[in-house]
Amino acid sequence: MPSIVIPAHNEERTLGRLLDALLEGSRDEEFDIVVVCNGCTDDTARVAGERGPRVRVVETPVPSKHEALRLGDTHARGFPRIYVDADVVLGAGDVRALTAALDAPGEVLAAAPERELPMTGCSWRVRAYYRVWQRLPAVREGLFGRGVIAMSGEGHARIAALPPLMADDLAASLAFGPAERSVVRTARVVVRPPRTWRDLIRRRVRAATSTAQLEAHQAGHREAGPDASAPAAPPSARTGVSDLKALVRAEPALLPAVVVFLSAALAARRGARKAIKARDFDTWLRDESSRQD
């Protein structure tokens, strides 16, 4: 029985649509669904509880995604273990496809679905940004930015050793080599993007801050224990100028969108400087526009 762990912090507006999608078309006891309401001050727990006994609700006063994931693990009953953000939509068939990918013979330890980004209601600059972002090789091939990561038992053992990091999905993705991870083309998740430029920048500041934390952890790990077999440079998902140049060469019409992408990247870098300098890796800049109906 696959276990689905859903950390939820004040997600009364979004959680219901995810749970309904998971429950619709699934059989009784086909999935073990655990919702961990962490530090909630709204009706998130009630929304989860209204879905009946097929959804188990765990509550903690600690508003921490990392702690919610850890707590969810202690209550989850099976593998594969599938971690799902409360603000995305994933269906029962998509869970089956992810489970099948991990059950198939081979070396795949972690999997994620294809992402669908509905752009209705988004400003033109947000749409331009995502036209570029979705084409980046690291974004297409990585497991991050999808709100869903599925792990086999062996894969779970590997990420369980990771420290608490803001970029938990990026760290999990980079913990697996290309042959060990898979983007499952027959599974899809709906990830609602921010609708406004301001909310996009908030997301990108958070991403820049969390990436800096991850890279500091990688550097500290290398300094703490020399390992001749370790690669000279740690795996990274950063976008380089060469990536953007390659996109423009392949699609010249993307040039205006690349300019928007670069402006967002520069704004995010400026916005993240203060947090990085203060080593503030706890403040979660939340985008509320994507949670609107």
Side-chain angles (χ1 to χ4, degrees):
M1 178 188 296
S3 280
I4 302 170
V5 176
I6 306 171
H9 172 69
N10 289 344
E11 294 288 1
E12 65 176 353
R13 289 185 293 174
T14 63
L15 180 61
R17 65 193 182 202
L18 167 61
L19 293 176
D20 290 343
L22 289 171
L23 294 172
E24 184 178 356
S26 63
R27 303 180 299 276
D28 288 348
E29 300 185 4
E30 181 179 5
F31 304 140
D32 170 39
I33 303 176
V34 181
V35 176
V36 184
C37 304
N38 60 101
C40 292
T41 57
D42 66 356
D43 286 333
T44 299
R46 178 187 59 78
V47 169
E50 287 177 346
R51 267 61 189 180
R54 295 172 63 189
V55 177
R56 293 189 290 133
V57 183
V58 179
E59 295 188 70
T60 172
V62 181
S64 163
K65 182 179 180 182
H66 177 79
E67 288 301 315
L69 293 171
R70 183 194 60 78
L71 184 58
D73 271 335
T74 66
H75 288 267
R77 295 168 177 163
F79 285 97
R81 189 71 46 83
I82 305 171
Y83 301 99
V84 185
D85 289 351
D87 60 341
V88 304
V89 178
L90 185 77
D94 305 303
V95 172
R96 295 187 193 107
L98 292 171
T99 300
L102 294 172
D103 287 342
E107 301 178 353
V108 176
L109 305 180
E114 286 278 16
R115 65 171 74 78
E116 178 182 332
L117 295 170
M119 291 294 167
T120 303
C122 295
S123 73
W124 70 268
R125 286 192 294 178
V126 171
R127 294 196 302 271
Y129 176 90
Y130 280 105
R131 283 186 66 201
V132 174
W133 186 78
Q134 291 188 87
R135 288 169 165 80
L136 297 172
V139 173
R140 294 200 313 268
E141 299 161 10
L143 305 184
F144 61 90
R146 302 172 192 273
V148 179
I149 297 184
M151 308 277 180
S152 67
E154 183 180 350
H156 177 266
R158 184 177 299 183
I159 67 154
L162 293 174
L165 297 165
M166 283 181 72
D168 57 319
D169 58 344
L170 176 58
S173 180
L174 296 178
F176 302 97
E180 297 176 317
R181 63 177 186 254
S182 173
V183 176
V184 180
R185 309 303 175 189
T186 54
R188 300 190 72 81
V189 60
V190 178
V191 182
R192 285 176 165 76
R195 295 182 178 181
T196 69
W197 180 253
R198 179 181 179 183
D199 278 310
L200 173 63
I201 298 304
R202 287 173 65 85
R203 275 201 191 187
R204 300 320 305 165
V205 168
R206 186 180 74 208
T209 305
S210 57
T211 298
Q213 181 194 27
L214 173 59
E215 290 174 345
H217 166 72
Q218 291 172 328
H221 183 73
R222 293 198 306 276
E223 293 173 2
D227 183 355
S229 64
S236 173
R238 279 193 179 274
T239 299
V241 174
S242 60
D243 297 316
L244 299 177
K245 286 182 177 179
L247 286 181
V248 174
R249 282 196 300 268
E251 298 183 66
L254 277 178
L255 180 58
V258 168
V259 173
V260 173
F261 181 91
L262 284 170
S263 67
L266 291 173
R269 185 177 300 178
R270 288 194 300 268
R273 281 177 187 162
K274 182 177 179 180
I276 294 170
K277 185 177 181 179
R279 302 188 65 78
D280 176 10
F281 300 119
D282 296 313
T283 301
W284 189 272
L285 296 178
R286 177 159 154 151
D287 155 37
E288 295 293 345
S289 67
S290 63
R291 289 171 167 83
Q292 298 172 4
D293 294 331

